[in-house]
Amino acid sequence: MPAVDVAGEFETIRRLFAPLAHPEWGRGLMDDVAVVPSRAGYDLVLTKDAIVEGVHFLPDDPLDTVARKLMRVNLSDLAAKGAEPFGYLLACHWSQRCGWPERVTFCDGLRVDQKAFGVALLGGDTVSTPGPASFSMTLLGWIPKGRTVGRAGARPGDLVFVTGAIGDGWLGLEAVQDRLSLDPERIAALSDHYRTPMPRVEFAGVVRDMASAAVDVSDGLIADLGHLAEASRVRIEIDLELAPLSAAGQVWFEGRVDGQDALEKLVTGGDDYEIAFTAAARDEAAIRREAERRHLRLTKIGRVTAGQGVAARFGGKPVAFDRPGFTHG
């Protein structure tokens, strides 16, 4: 059913989005542009992600979690580059289910994460659509000039690391669709990860200072390491048995009889929003100390060699993937 009590575009901006705007650069959202001054000695880093109802979030997902997921997937991209976020541009395509209460809920989610991550709204657009709801964010960040960590810096001899746990994004989607048989506590943890993943912004400085190449794990660990290997023109060798699993992921995995197939689902499912990166072997101890200081789990899962692509092994045997990860079309 269509939502009721829908405000017009300008009332939505005035009442909901203007309070979220940057106090200076956003111009109160009363102009067609935002004006951001340059920052001496820094590069401006930009990233953009869109999420669509029925593709990236479910039709009955609360819109505050949709807003927070949108922000967090963008924050994850900046963190993997070593950048510090500061502001964003937003486009909202409201479907018929997005009445005034739903729009308020969406902005409530933005407000929570703006405070948590220290960012502010700079501008954007809001429109109605007969199709599914969708939202797009362009996130801006700063990084010291010339220090952006790309995908193309991995070198033979480097080690391969990943933060956090792998597989909870895919398991979270299974959880919210009631496809898992786990304790309610595990289901809740996985559902929360799917709806509001935690970007590793606190690790951005370590990536900037010590990583040779990095990528956020959004399409799936295997697919994203493949992107890194392609850009760096190297081969990445990983041991799937070293892939870090959460407590819920471990319980699910141990309950499966098809160990290799189950693990393949976890490393190709995507939506994890961890950081996979390469670094010189001499820096391993320092990187581990920095992760420990932040109480962040860090796992060495492989190494970089000459060659191309990703070579994965399970039980000492090579593993081939029919689908290395999620593709956006």
Side-chain angles (χ1 to χ4, degrees):
M1 292 290 293
V4 296
D5 190 25
V6 178
E9 173 189 2
F10 297 108
E11 186 178 2
T12 296
I13 293 171
R14 178 178 62 83
R15 292 173 60 184
L16 295 184
F17 289 116
L20 302 178
H22 191 282
E24 180 181 359
W25 303 337
R27 299 191 168 198
L29 303 188
M30 298 181 68
D31 209 332
D32 291 324
V33 299
V35 178
V36 180
S38 60
R39 186 177 178 184
Y42 284 78
D43 290 329
L44 183 64
V45 183
L46 300 90
T47 186
K48 183 181 186 67
D49 266 305
I51 59 176
V52 179
E53 185 177 73
V55 179
H56 305 96
F57 63 94
L58 301 178
D60 58 353
D61 279 346
L63 285 189
D64 58 335
T65 67
V66 173
R68 296 176 71 191
K69 183 171 186 176
L70 176 64
M71 182 173 289
R72 290 169 182 228
V73 301
N74 279 278
L75 286 165
S76 182
D77 277 326
L78 284 194
K81 302 299 102 183
E84 171 195 356
F86 79 90
Y88 64 97
L89 300 168
L90 177 70
C92 297
H93 310 97
W94 308 110
S95 66
Q96 290 184 321
R97 73 136 164 155
C98 299
W100 185 256
E102 289 78 14
R103 298 183 189 198
V104 170
T105 298
F106 183 87
C107 289
D108 286 344
L110 290 177
R111 184 175 296 105
V112 168
D113 273 4
Q114 280 196 185
K115 183 177 180 180
F117 296 106
V119 297
L121 179 63
L122 298 172
D125 196 14
T126 173
V127 298
S128 296
T129 174
S134 64
F135 306 93
S136 175
M137 180 179 289
T138 301
L139 186 64
L140 294 78
W142 296 112
I143 195 166
K145 198 166 187 65
R147 299 284 300 281
T148 302
V149 181
R151 297 177 178 180
R155 299 176 294 268
D158 284 353
L159 303 178
V160 182
F161 300 90
V162 66
T163 63
I166 293 299
D168 279 10
W170 180 81
L171 284 172
L173 178 59
E174 296 290 293
V176 298
Q177 295 179 317
D178 198 24
R179 295 176 179 171
L180 296 182
S181 297
L182 294 174
D183 293 340
E185 179 181 327
R186 311 285 191 198
I187 294 294
L190 293 170
S191 299
D192 286 347
H193 176 90
Y194 174 74
R195 292 194 171 107
T196 52
M198 180 56 70
R200 299 306 183 182
V201 294
E202 77 276 22
F203 205 63
V206 182
V207 170
R208 182 184 65 240
D209 294 339
M210 299 187 186
S212 54
V215 62
D216 87 312
V217 184
S218 55
D219 296 337
L221 179 64
I222 301 302
D224 287 312
L225 286 177
H227 300 326
L228 195 154
E230 180 179 12
S232 295
R233 298 182 179 180
V234 295
R235 177 183 176 92
I236 292 179
E237 299 179 354
I238 65 169
D239 185 344
L240 293 182
E241 291 171 294
L242 298 178
L245 305 182
S246 68
Q250 190 68 43
V251 169
W252 177 84
F253 178 70
E254 290 174 353
R256 306 281 298 203
V257 295
D258 53 341
Q260 180 175 319
D261 289 343
L263 193 54
E264 286 183 28
K265 289 182 173 66
L266 300 181
V267 298
T268 63
D271 258 6
D272 290 317
Y273 302 104
E274 300 292 350
I275 301 176
F277 65 97
T278 59
R282 64 176 179 274
D283 292 328
E284 179 179 3
I287 292 170
R288 290 193 180 280
R289 284 195 299 270
E290 293 299 325
E292 289 171 3
R293 284 183 57 230
R294 293 161 174 80
H295 307 288
L296 177 63
R297 185 178 182 182
L298 181 73
T299 306
K300 178 173 65 177
I301 58 173
R303 63 194 181 104
V304 180
T305 64
Q308 60 183 3
V310 176
R313 301 181 73 84
F314 182 84
K317 298 179 180 179
V319 176
F321 297 93
D322 294 331
R323 187 186 70 90
F326 180 80
T327 57
H328 298 272

